[in-house]
Amino acid sequence: MSEPVEPAEKVRTFPTTPGVYLMKDAVGRVIYVGKAVNLRNRASSYFTKAAAVDRRTAELVKVIRDIDFIEADSEVDALLMEARLIKDIQPRFNIDLKDDKSFPYLQITTHEDFPRVEFTREPADRGVKLYGPFANAKALRGAIAVLQRIFRFRTCTLDIDADDEKWKWYRPCLLYNINQCTAPCNFRISREEYKKDVQRLRLFLDGKKETLLDELREEMAAASKALEFERAARLRDEIKLLENLNLRGDLETHEQPEVFYIDPKKGLAGLRKVLGLDAPRSEE
């Protein structure tokens, strides 16, 4: 029987991909869960001289006897996996996130015609689906920004009534013009189609990305067969963005890579439309 590998040595064999790491005590209990963009680098940082004396990590480092990891497809996936594990395991050193309402949550309203997706530190008691709590507020805000580019949900506070005709004359915000929202505020999307988008988001948040991708591919094939080429193209783009989540930038700085590139001319055109400005003569 081989000798157990010390945690400080074990982390050197970790992959350099995104994921979560699970620290354990002498009896094998998970005492801390964390997420990482680079598992090897992040986990190794706990076994340095600086970590041993840092007030935030010193007590944790003293009782670590083993460490494992779970790989994730992207930093967004790792963030969501971390939240699910903390909620389920409630590790000693993660603080008690379950009952502490000061930690951030992703909240989806369930009682509205066009559900909202929100960042909140004060989750509602009813009429919502909650995800979290999350350990990092900046990363959660970054994840919401990334996911909005894919699922194009609304984050505004408008109370949109699908039976109220006044919304037909409401002017959508800039997010619609740069293709980050489907503008339910102007009925640019039906209640049924919008809720389908939110259901897809929920599948992803529940950790069922492969199931979601399979459904999207089936829908894209059906749309193409029915000659619904615009719908098929949108589904194709959604699939591509989901598959390329690992190409994005750092969640905490909200930097976006080329996979989320927006044509500057389209962005300016959208801004002019929102502000009611005339196009430059060169574009007329």
Side-chain angles (χ1 to χ4, degrees):
M1 186 175 179
S2 59
E3 290 292 321
V5 181
E6 289 295 317
E9 292 295 322
K10 192 174 183 179
V11 293
R12 295 179 184 177
T13 66
F14 280 17
T16 56
T17 52
V20 296
Y21 50 93
L22 302 91
M23 294 173 170
K24 302 177 181 179
D25 63 13
V27 296
R29 288 175 301 201
V30 175
I31 55 174
Y32 185 79
V33 174
K35 80 163 182 69
V37 180
N38 181 317
L39 280 164
R40 186 186 304 170
N41 289 351
R42 184 70 185 100
S44 295
S45 70
Y46 287 88
F47 303 100
T48 62
K49 290 182 180 179
V53 297
D54 185 279
R55 65 178 181 81
R56 295 170 298 178
T57 57
E59 289 302 312
L60 168 63
V61 172
K62 287 178 185 177
V63 293
I64 297 172
R65 295 295 178 269
D66 193 12
I67 181 169
D68 286 318
F69 68 87
I70 304 173
E71 284 190 87
D73 291 339
S74 69
E75 188 184 0
V76 176
D77 292 281
L79 179 74
L80 296 170
M81 188 186 298
E82 177 195 37
R84 287 194 294 269
L85 288 170
I86 290 174
K87 185 174 182 179
D88 292 343
I89 302 173
Q90 299 183 47
R92 170 184 164 195
F93 283 93
N94 279 101
I95 310 175
D96 191 5
L97 297 183
K98 182 176 173 59
D99 298 317
D100 192 329
K101 298 299 185 182
S102 67
F103 284 89
Y105 290 76
L106 186 155
Q107 176 173 280
I108 302 176
T109 59
T110 57
H111 63 286
E112 296 184 291
D113 291 339
F114 298 96
R116 282 174 285 147
V117 178
E118 306 168 308
F119 171 102
T120 182
R121 292 185 186 273
E122 299 179 356
D125 293 326
R126 61 184 63 183
V128 297
K129 172 65 177 176
L130 287 178
Y131 292 90
F134 291 87
N136 188 312
K138 284 186 178 179
L140 175 56
R141 290 187 186 278
I144 290 173
V146 170
L147 294 173
Q148 189 177 29
R149 283 171 163 79
I150 301 172
F151 300 102
R152 300 172 68 193
F153 48 78
R154 74 185 184 101
T155 53
C156 64
T157 58
L158 297 173
D159 294 319
I160 307 171
D161 182 347
D163 297 319
D164 191 337
E165 294 290 310
K166 74 177 183 183
W167 293 104
K168 287 184 177 180
W169 293 275
Y170 191 85
R171 177 178 288 180
C173 71
L174 181 60
L175 288 175
Y176 169 72
N177 291 284
I178 60 174
N179 207 35
Q180 287 182 221
C181 179
T182 48
C185 60
N186 188 232
F187 295 161
R188 302 292 177 98
I189 186 171
S190 70
R191 175 168 36 185
E192 292 70 26
E193 282 299 309
Y194 182 87
K195 286 190 173 181
K196 188 179 292 185
D197 287 341
V198 172
Q199 184 58 38
R200 288 174 183 150
L201 169 65
R202 289 179 59 170
L203 268 178
F204 179 82
L205 294 174
D206 288 334
K208 299 176 181 176
K209 186 164 78 172
E210 290 307 314
T211 299
L212 171 60
L213 283 168
D214 288 343
E215 289 184 6
L216 289 172
R217 291 181 185 118
E218 288 179 9
E219 285 190 41
M220 181 179 70
S224 181
K225 188 175 181 179
L227 306 183
E228 298 174 358
F229 298 121
E230 186 175 340
R231 175 174 167 74
R234 184 190 164 193
L235 290 166
R236 177 204 61 206
D237 293 344
E238 197 168 316
I239 291 167
K240 188 180 298 183
L241 290 172
L242 278 168
E243 291 176 334
N244 291 324
L245 266 177
N246 63 321
L247 300 182
R248 58 150 292 95
D250 180 35
L251 287 183
E252 293 190 33
T253 59
H254 295 215
E255 293 175 351
Q256 303 296 343
E258 191 173 358
V259 69
F260 293 122
Y261 172 77
I262 295 172
D263 187 331
K265 289 185 177 180
K266 290 183 179 179
L268 289 172
L271 185 59
R272 285 198 301 270
K273 183 177 179 181
V274 169
L275 298 178
L277 302 176
D278 293 330
R281 291 183 179 179
S282 60
E283 293 185 21
E284 292 178 341

